[in-house]
Structures are given as C-alpha cells and as structure tokens.
Amino acid sequence: MSLDETPHAIAEECAPDTRSRILATAGTYFREIGYQKTTVADIARTLKMSPANVYRFFESKKAINEAVLERLIGESEAVISEIADRPGLDATARLVAAIETLHRDCTRRCETFPRLHEMIEAAMVESWDVCRHHVARITAGFERIIREGVARGEFEAADPVEAAACIHAAIARYTHPLLVGSSSLQPVPPVAAMTAFLLRSLAPRRPLS
Amino acid sequence: MSLDETPHAIAEECAPDTRSRILATAGTYFREIGYQKTTVADIARTLKMSPANVYRFFESKKAINEAVLERLIGESEAVISEIADRPGLDATARLVAAIETLHRDCTRRCETFPRLHEMIEAAMVESWDVCRHHVARITAGFERIIREGVARGEFEAADPVEAAACIHAAIARYTHPLLVGSSSLQPVPPVAAMTAFLLRSLAPRRPLS
C-alpha cells in the first residue's frame, strides 16, 4: 500500500456500490480461476482500483471469500424458503423439492465452476462461523417443512430440529461442493432413492386411521 | 531410468516383499508429507533403491496410491465383516457398531494424518475403480447386516441393496475423509443421533405382534 494512494471521492460516495463490485469481481475470479490463485491485486486491477482501496472494504482475501459465500448461501436459503412457502404442496413434496433443488443447484454450480470447491475448502479451514451460519440457515428451512408435516400428521418427529439436522447431514453426498464437485462419477444412489429412504424415517409409526 | 541399472537379484527373489516395502513407505509418505508433495524418488531413496526399480512394481505414483488405498479399504472392510460376524448382537446393534467404528476410525486417521485427504482426493479424480470398489465393499457389509435384520423381523427394507447404499451415502459427513478431516468443527448432529434417525427408516411399519 503506497501512502500517496488516497481513495477516490467517488468510491467514498458509493461505498455500498464499490463493495458490491468487489464482491462480484471476486466471485467471478474465485469461481473461474479458483480461490487459491486469485490475489487481491487481480481483483483490484480488474476494477481499476488499487489493492489498498480493496483493503478499505475487506481486511483480507479471507474476508472477501466470506462475503462471497454469504451471497451464495443467501441464494440457497432463498430457494428453500420459497419452496417452504409454495402453496399447494404437502410437506413431503416440499422436502423432496428442497433436496432435489439443493442437489441440482450444487451439481450445476460445480460442473460450471470446477474450482468452486476451493472457496468452500478455504472457508471450512478458516471461516467456521460462515459454515455454521450456512448449516443453521439451510437446516432451519428443513425444520420448518418438518414441523409443518408433523402438524399435518404427515410426519412424526420427536425432535424436528434434530431431524432437520440429520437430513441436512445425510444429503452431504448430494449437496456438499466438496463431494459433488470431484465425485460425479462416484457411486451413490439416485437422490430420489435417498430422499425416499430419509422420508421413511419421518413416517408416522402407526398407519393413519 | 538409466540403462545400466539392473535390478538386484535379491529384489527379483523377493518381489512380494519389495512391493510390500514400497507400499509401506509410500503409505507413510502419503499420510505424513501428503500425496501431492511425495515423489517416487522420495520413496525410492528411503528404500535405498532406484526410482526405476520402484517403477518395475508400479507404473506410476497413481498406481502406488491405488494400492495403498486398497490396503486402507481392506482394513475398513475387515472391521465391518468382523462386526457383521460378531456373536450375540442383533442387527440394530451391528449397524450401530459398524457406523460408529467407521466414524471413529476415519476421525482418528484424519486427526493423526492431516494430509490423508490428499490421497483420497487424488483417487476421486483419477482412480474411479478404486472408489467404486471401496463403496461396493463397505455397502456390502451394511447390506449383510440389513438382510439379517429383515430376516429377524427387526428391519423392514423392500430393497436391502438400496437401503445399504443410502445408509453408506448418508454417513459421508461422518466417514468420508474429505468431510471429516477438515471439518471437525463444522456442526453436524452426533453420530448416534444420525444413526438413530437412519434406523427409524428401517423400522417395520407396523408394530411387531
């Protein structure tokens, strides 16, 4: 950082916009070049600003990664919320749709961006709060669907929070970029078979009268 | 490979032993230094042989990795078989013990050897047959336990092969080195809660008379 490098007035005025542009550019680099090979200097150069200006908004590449991941997580969370709110579906159909959608989105992202897993790996090593936050938010979506199913007599779950956490953990093979990305050729049951298996776990113990 | 490098007569006589020593040394390097940084030259130097001699037994580092992984997989398979054969346990107890043991062994290995995941990552990218073989063998152990549970009226599973595959896939978060290694701080339900959730899926639909 050179001392004579004063931020442009325009950046001062449009801080949210600059922040947003940094994240968009960083997101593109992380997905296409990979988290490891991307430098803050690359991001700054593309935006025609100094690295020092990037550091005014984010203290480190790690902090940029966390903000980029927050956006991605927000997208997944919005998808689950939309499904949980979708009218005309029972809880089983909502759970099936939520799992299928998470799986499809993750597979598509990993195929389009083969280096996506680097961002996730970096976060798993050094950004535990982001990971915890992600798990909590997606699991909350599942919990909402499970509680609704219990209320309708469609599901039985003594502890919907735990059931939601188990389902989220059980589908890691289908929705975790570390396993989906490099392992599309590994043998796993079709996601529909896995979902059916997990749904059996939520089925009421006695037949409905 | 230099042309004047003829294999020692002793190596000719003890080919299985030499092969075994190469694998033991490679296994130690892969676990402690990591698959990426280990070279065939390192392995050869430690064994006081030429790289050319190593290549007489294995055509590439990839082939060495596959053989090292086969040994590791054999250990996991033996553990599951021993549990499936253990007298005095019902199928539920066998399934619980099998999942707990796979989880404990994987966690212990990943903690002891933080670079273990590199071997697995390399295999997932380029050694699909080894991965398929691994999944098939571990899943076969689960299938055996599930069939026994069905025969005893303890479990209900229309398709024990698929149920076994689903259980194996569902515990990836607990037994896959790519997720266990770097993510011991990530939030997942305790393995006992996950096992109980999966067992519900196998429970007979109607109460036993």
Side-chain angles (χ1 to χ4, degrees):
Chain A
M1 180 175 177
S2 67
L3 291 172
D4 61 350
E5 214 163 57
T6 45
H8 299 300
I10 193 162
E12 290 284 2
E13 281 164 28
C14 309
D17 183 56
T18 305
R19 194 185 143 85
S20 189
R21 285 169 58 223
I22 293 171
L23 289 185
T25 302
T28 305
Y29 265 101
F30 292 166
R31 283 188 293 264
E32 297 188 356
I33 314 293
Y35 179 73
Q36 297 307 335
K37 286 194 180 152
T38 300
T39 65
V40 171
D42 293 330
I43 298 166
R45 197 180 328 106
T46 304
L47 290 166
K48 299 191 187 353
M49 60 176 69
S50 67
N53 199 39
V54 174
Y55 284 118
R56 285 181 56 234
F57 292 89
F58 298 97
E59 67 176 12
S60 60
K61 191 168 87 165
K62 173 189 160 197
I64 300 177
N65 191 34
E66 290 176 353
V68 169
L69 284 173
E70 278 292 340
R71 282 195 176 185
L72 260 182
I73 295 164
E75 284 172 30
S76 296
E77 197 185 10
V79 161
I80 305 277
S81 289
E82 184 273 317
I83 291 167
D85 288 334
R86 205 179 282 173
L89 292 185
D90 61 19
T92 301
R94 286 185 208 282
L95 201 54
V96 168
I99 294 173
E100 271 178 2
T101 308
L102 284 177
H103 174 55
R104 198 183 53 229
D105 287 357
C106 181
T107 306
R108 187 176 41 77
R109 274 186 192 134
C110 290
E111 280 169 359
T112 314
F113 306 113
R115 300 193 171 279
L116 187 76
H117 64 95
E118 289 181 17
M119 294 165 59
I120 317 287
E121 273 166 342
M124 285 174 75
V125 171
E126 55 184 16
S127 302
W128 302 325
D129 280 347
V130 172
C131 297
R132 283 208 190 87
H133 195 200
H134 164 69
V135 172
R137 283 154 73 186
I138 303 300
T139 302
F142 284 132
E143 184 195 331
R144 195 171 143 202
I145 296 171
I146 291 170
R147 283 193 189 281
E148 188 187 294
V150 170
R152 294 165 59 109
E154 205 180 326
F155 293 159
E156 195 177 295
D159 183 343
V161 175
E162 191 168 84
C166 285
I167 287 180
H168 193 202
I171 58 172
R173 208 72 188 65
Y174 302 86
T175 60
H176 198 297
L178 246 54
L179 291 181
V180 170
S182 54
S183 67
S184 52
L185 290 154
Q186 307 305 316
V188 280
V191 67
M194 174 59 102
T195 307
F197 183 83
L198 297 172
L199 279 169
R200 268 182 67 93
S201 200
L202 295 172
R205 290 296 96 178
R206 286 159 210 279
L208 293 170
S209 57
Chain B
M1 182 175 177
S2 65
L3 291 174
D4 61 350
E5 214 165 55
T6 46
H8 299 300
I10 193 161
E12 292 284 2
E13 281 164 28
C14 308
D17 183 55
T18 305
R19 194 185 143 84
S20 190
R21 285 167 59 222
I22 293 170
L23 289 185
T25 303
T28 305
Y29 265 102
F30 292 165
R31 283 189 293 265
E32 297 189 355
I33 315 295
Y35 179 74
Q36 297 307 335
K37 286 194 179 152
T38 299
T39 65
V40 172
D42 293 330
I43 297 166
R45 197 181 326 107
T46 304
L47 290 166
K48 300 192 188 351
M49 60 175 71
S50 66
N53 199 39
V54 174
Y55 284 118
R56 285 182 56 233
F57 292 89
F58 297 97
E59 66 177 12
S60 59
K61 191 169 87 166
K62 173 191 161 197
I64 301 177
N65 191 34
E66 290 177 354
V68 169
L69 284 173
E70 278 293 339
R71 281 194 175 186
L72 261 181
I73 295 164
E75 284 173 30
S76 296
E77 197 186 9
V79 161
I80 305 277
S81 290
E82 184 274 317
I83 290 167
D85 288 334
R86 203 179 281 173
L89 292 185
D90 60 20
T92 301
R94 286 185 209 282
L95 202 55
V96 168
I99 294 173
E100 271 178 3
T101 308
L102 284 177
H103 174 56
R104 198 182 53 228
D105 288 357
C106 181
T107 307
R108 186 177 42 77
R109 275 188 192 133
C110 289
E111 281 170 358
T112 314
F113 306 113
R115 300 193 171 280
L116 187 76
H117 64 96
E118 290 181 17
M119 296 166 57
I120 317 287
E121 273 165 342
M124 285 174 75
V125 170
E126 54 183 19
S127 302
W128 301 325
D129 281 347
V130 172
C131 298
R132 284 207 189 88
H133 195 200
H134 164 69
V135 172
R137 284 153 73 184
I138 303 300
T139 302
F142 284 132
E143 184 196 331
R144 196 170 141 200
I145 297 170
I146 292 169
R147 284 193 190 280
E148 188 187 294
V150 170
R152 294 165 61 112
E154 205 179 327
F155 293 159
E156 194 176 295
D159 184 342
V161 175
E162 189 168 87
C166 285
I167 287 180
H168 193 200
I171 59 172
R173 208 73 186 64
Y174 302 86
T175 61
H176 199 298
L178 246 55
L179 292 181
V180 170
S182 54
S183 67
S184 52
L185 291 154
Q186 307 307 317
V188 279
V191 67
M194 174 59 102
T195 307
F197 183 83
L198 296 172
L199 279 168
R200 268 181 67 94
S201 202
L202 294 172
R205 292 296 96 179
R206 288 160 208 281
L208 292 170
S209 58

